[in-house]
Amino acid sequence: MASIKSNLPRRRYDAVIVGAGGSGMRCSLQLAEAGLNVAVLSKVFPTRSHTVAAQGGIGASLGNMSEDNWYWHMFDTVKGSDYLGDQDAIEFMCRQAPHVVYELEHFGMPFDRNSDGTIYQRPFGGHTANFGEKPVQRACAAADRTGHALLHTLYQRNVRARTQFFVEWMALDLVRDQAGDVVGVVALEMETGEVMILEAKATIFATGGAGRIWAASTNAFINTGDGMGMAARAGIPLEDMEFWQFHPTGVAGAGVLITEGVRGEGGILLNDKGERFMERYAPTLKDLAPRDFVSRSMDQEIKEGRGCGPNKDHVLLKLDHLGADTILKRLPSIREIALKFANVDPIKEPIPVVPTIHYQMGGIPTNYYGQVVVPKNGNHAEVVNGLYAIGECACVSVHGANRLGTNSLLDLVVFGRASGDFIVKQNLKDKAHKDLPADAADLPLSRLARIDGSSSGERVQDVANQIRKDMQAHCGVFRKQELLEEGVKKILELDKRRMHVHVKDKSKVFNTARVEALELDNLIETAKATIISAEARQESRGAHARDDYPERDDANWIKHSLFYSEGNRLDYKPVNMKPLTVETFQPKKRTF
Ligand SMILES: Cc1cc2nc3c(=O)[nH]c(=O)nc-3n(C[C@H](O)[C@H](O)[C@H](O)COP(=O)(O)OP(=O)(O)OC[C@H]3O[C@@H](n4cnc5c(N)ncnc54)[C@H](O)[C@@H]3O)c2cc1C
């Protein structure tokens, strides 16, 4: 195809960050403060990124309210990951945690306070003292609006540092040159429909998760997996995509999240007999066991007929015993959500809840500097020059097969900052931009041409909704071979169907139908990666629970999955079991 790059407007930056959530804005702050020329693209106004919805807290072993240290935090994270997390990256994160939280405090983040002025910390699932002995208070919180406080603090600091925001700009595809180096992105200005090439010496993906490949999700509508889609189309594999976290407490029927902080403050789960069933499944941590464990226990109760309501399809989250004062002070938004979405006042009645898709543990493979790494010539971690990924779209991997609550906000800030520091050290100012390849914009322009040229076909939302339905039905809390195989077939069928969608509205100005059609290409890449990796992994580990393979199989499966879109093929790479300075935590049976 003839080169079309020269027709497009181009702009040059030292660094282009795609995504203005917690990870993107923590990275951009580091770069802008070091004097680099940084552009941050976002589909929505920065403070509307999904990070704003985070409720419960950010984990750090400050030890303000009960004795704590980073080593216990590391143990909990490795065990929580069901031994699939890379222990070097986990040590790095847990050691950095107190430092990055104090830094946020000094940026002005409005944490809740104890009477002695220190940061308030609440217990959270899977976080323990002394290697699992009892729950510890590690979640630093700003009421139940921690993400809101974090994101606004970071946005304001970025405005001060003169970060340049491209608001309502959608990145479409990466630009990779002949050598495989990343030299920028092609993006669409949603207001005008114009396409531009943004050249960069460092391109950083901070595009968040893809929770919208599921029908019932706690995620924002913009979480369509664009980073994963762009990476997959550029030949980069996606790591551990079979591991998706079901949050135990989504409002039944609505999907809106009720933070684990409710249980951290003392809330408990009940079945239809009024029984606190978690005592049976996790005698030590009870309702504060990790999320994979609690979600499966809830599902088991429902399956065995002890669910609540006319359809016996949910359980109850009781918190009235905490008293109106605690609820109004520590959990004000939860009360509002319960009133609006479940029509109950939690000061008086329990909230109906059900496990709901919440978080992807997998993503674009990186090291703990945020550099994207891929297998090449026998090396399983060859750096892709010029490309970085941070936040939920990245797989470092600190969460392995199951993430502990509060460890995501932590991951955003730790790796947002670490990648920023690493990029600053590359002295980008002294380096020239690499030349754009002749076919720089061919892929995104051909995608747009397909959409703009359509004259008949299916509606985008019909295909997108079918993806969500099929993923939900074939790849849920409990999985099994036949169901997964059927699901893979259906998703591959949808992969063909999405090539023939029809968008009626051909206008350019703020055409959201066009944007949704572009997002569909990303939904399908993420869905394929998820269900194909899940079908292949014949064991149960963390959030990936197989009815037909109920045990964890350490002999065969302590390895990361890698999904390649081209040929829909899988590969694997070893887990890094070696921490930076301490001894390996050897796999053990997980009990709580
Ligand atoms: C309801 C809820 C509550 C949560 N509570 C907690 C909690 O208490 N503690 C915790 O640790 N974790 C929590 N999590 C998880 C955590 O909040 C997320 O994992 C995290 O905020 C993701 O941040 P991010 O920076 O990776 O991306 P996001 O905050 O999701 O931001 C993604 C950014 O990428 C942009 N973007 C995406 N695609 C494109 C594109 N193609 N072009 C341009 N821009 C693009 C978006 O506009 C946005 O700015 C919660 C999650 C949810 C959904």
Side-chain angles (χ1 to χ4, degrees):
M1 190 192 274
S3 162
I4 20 192
K5 76 169 187 200
S6 49
N7 302 335
L8 293 179
R10 288 152 60 173
R11 286 204 207 169
R12 287 188 155 178
Y13 293 89
D14 293 323
V16 169
I17 302 179
V18 184
S23 61
M25 286 210 284
R26 184 64 196 84
C27 180
S28 60
L29 182 59
Q30 214 66 3
L31 300 182
E33 283 188 340
L36 294 182
N37 189 11
V38 192
V40 178
L41 274 61
S42 176
K43 291 198 286 188
V44 294
F45 193 78
T47 51
R48 288 183 169 266
S49 305
H50 187 64
T51 300
V52 81
Q55 301 173 350
I58 175 167
S61 56
L62 306 184
N64 284 348
M65 308 177 68
S66 56
E67 192 193 338
D68 201 5
N69 61 64
W70 68 264
Y71 194 44
W72 291 349
H73 189 181
M74 178 181 174
F75 167 80
D76 292 337
T77 305
V78 172
K79 182 178 174 189
S81 83
D82 219 350
Y83 302 93
L84 197 75
D86 288 331
Q87 297 195 18
D88 55 341
I90 295 176
E91 178 177 344
F92 182 85
M93 179 177 81
C94 296
R95 273 175 177 268
Q96 287 270 314
H99 176 59
V100 295
V101 167
Y102 285 133
E103 197 173 48
L104 288 170
E105 181 186 36
H106 296 165
F107 288 169
M109 178 162 161
F111 284 108
D112 280 7
R113 300 281 164 185
N114 296 313
S115 51
D116 64 357
T118 54
I119 294 174
Y120 169 73
Q121 298 185 278
R122 56 167 59 113
F124 238 78
H127 289 279
T128 71
N130 207 12
F131 312 106
E133 204 175 271
K134 56 179 184 206
V136 77
Q137 288 179 258
R138 190 177 286 150
C140 309
D144 53 2
R145 300 175 186 133
T146 311
H148 186 274
L150 171 70
L151 205 59
H152 280 261
T153 304
L154 288 176
Y155 178 63
Q156 288 167 13
R157 296 292 291 201
N158 269 284
V159 169
R160 178 174 179 264
R162 301 193 186 285
T163 302
Q164 298 174 56
F165 287 101
F166 283 66
V167 177
E168 292 171 340
W169 278 71
M170 179 184 189
L172 302 179
D173 274 298
L174 277 172
V175 184
R176 277 186 100 173
D177 68 8
Q178 246 75 44
D181 296 353
V182 169
V183 292
V185 291
V186 179
L188 170 87
E189 183 178 22
M190 288 154 70
E191 187 184 340
T192 60
E194 294 307 322
V195 177
M196 189 190 282
I197 299 180
L198 294 151
E199 290 182 67
K201 301 171 198 168
T203 301
I204 300 107
F205 275 180
T207 50
R212 285 288 154 187
I213 62 167
W214 308 89
S217 167
T218 66
N219 277 212
F221 285 97
I222 56 167
N223 288 9
T224 49
D226 296 6
M228 271 74 68
M230 289 187 274
R233 284 190 296 275
I236 291 162
L238 303 178
E239 181 174 343
D240 290 344
M241 288 303 296
E242 63 270 46
F243 298 101
W244 278 85
Q245 178 161 80
F246 287 81
H247 195 294
T249 57
V251 173
V256 184
L257 181 77
I258 300 291
T259 174
E260 191 169 286
V262 169
R263 282 170 287 139
E265 295 290 342
I268 55 174
L269 293 163
L270 302 176
N271 61 18
D272 73 329
K273 299 188 163 37
E275 187 192 8
R276 186 180 181 188
F277 57 87
M278 280 313 299
E279 287 178 332
R280 268 191 278 120
Y281 296 93
T284 309
L285 296 187
K286 302 186 177 83
D287 301 88
L288 284 176
R291 291 174 179 173
D292 56 336
F293 215 79
V294 179
S295 289
R296 272 198 295 281
S297 309
M298 290 166 69
D299 221 57
Q300 197 67 29
E301 289 296 298
I302 293 169
K303 258 199 211 153
E304 289 173 7
R306 292 187 293 278
C308 305
N311 301 324
K312 295 189 154 296
D313 57 359
H314 60 263
V315 301
L316 296 174
L317 176 62
K318 172 180 154 60
L319 62 158
D320 57 316
H321 56 285
L322 304 181
D325 286 352
T326 300
I327 293 174
L328 293 174
K329 180 164 174 213
R330 302 278 185 218
L331 305 164
S333 303
I334 290 309
R335 178 163 184 251
E336 246 173 69
I337 289 171
L339 284 166
K340 279 197 188 128
F341 292 96
N343 202 22
V344 299
D345 183 351
I347 291 178
K348 299 184 205 127
E349 315 150 84
I351 311 173
V353 291
V354 72
T356 305
I357 276 289
H358 182 59
Y359 182 87
Q360 63 176 66
M361 268 70 74
I364 304 164
T366 71
N367 59 25
Y368 56 81
Y369 301 119
Q371 293 178 288
V372 173
V373 290
V374 298
K376 199 174 167 187
N377 304 333
N379 171 14
H380 61 78
E382 179 90 3
V383 167
V384 177
N385 287 322
L387 183 63
Y388 300 77
I390 47 178
E392 193 170 334
C393 73
C395 184
V396 185
S397 134
V398 281
H399 310 303
N402 172 63
R403 171 176 75 88
L404 296 186
T406 77
N407 268 359
S408 172
L409 290 186
L410 179 61
D411 147 7
L412 309 181
V413 185
V414 166
F415 297 108
R417 186 183 198 283
S419 61
D421 284 341
F422 184 84
I423 293 166
V424 168
K425 286 199 194 119
Q426 308 305 304
N427 297 320
L428 296 184
K429 284 267 177 239
D430 301 339
K431 294 187 179 147
H433 286 88
K434 284 190 86 181
D435 285 339
L436 283 179
D439 62 355
D442 286 6
L443 173 61
L445 290 181
S446 68
R447 290 173 59 211
L448 280 167
R450 164 165 57 81
I451 294 164
D452 295 340
S454 70
S455 53
S456 65
E458 279 186 276
R459 296 189 314 164
V460 171
Q461 64 265 45
D462 292 341
V463 179
N465 286 337
Q466 196 59 47
I467 294 176
R468 298 184 178 115
K469 258 196 208 152
D470 291 342
M471 289 304 290
Q472 201 79 29
H474 292 272
C475 208
V477 176
F478 284 100
R479 301 168 171 182
K480 56 175 174 244
Q481 194 68 31
E482 252 171 56
L483 209 58
L484 285 163
E485 278 173 16
E486 242 177 83
V488 168
K489 275 194 211 134
K490 288 185 177 173
I491 294 295
L492 290 179
E493 197 51 42
L494 286 163
D495 189 21
K496 290 189 195 135
R497 273 167 60 185
R498 58 105 189 198
M499 298 301 282
H500 307 287
V501 290
H502 172 45
V503 177
K504 253 197 239 155
D505 180 356
K506 304 290 185 201
S507 66
K508 292 270 166 71
V509 175
F510 241 113
N511 185 344
T512 50
R514 206 165 171 237
V515 167
E516 280 170 24
L518 291 162
E519 286 174 340
L520 180 63
D521 292 341
N522 301 322
L523 287 174
I524 195 80
E525 292 297 349
T526 321
K528 273 197 306 181
T530 299
I531 198 157
I532 290 174
S533 308
E535 191 253 334
R537 186 175 283 268
Q538 298 185 331
E539 65 156 352
S540 290
R541 183 183 298 273
H544 176 66
R546 298 266 315 228
D547 269 347
D548 41 1
Y549 299 93
E551 298 301 321
R552 195 175 78 197
D553 177 359
D554 289 344
N556 295 304
W557 285 103
I558 297 199
K559 56 186 180 186
H560 296 295
S561 311
L562 293 173
F563 168 82
Y564 289 83
S565 177
E566 195 175 9
N568 297 319
R569 81 187 158 88
L570 287 172
D571 192 5
Y572 294 91
K573 69 172 184 182
V575 171
N576 189 350
M577 304 290 284
K578 212 173 150 6
L580 298 172
T581 65
V582 293
E583 297 272 300
T584 297
F585 286 111
Q586 295 297 346
K588 282 193 193 142
K589 194 169 166 55
R590 275 166 91 224
T591 52
F592 298 96

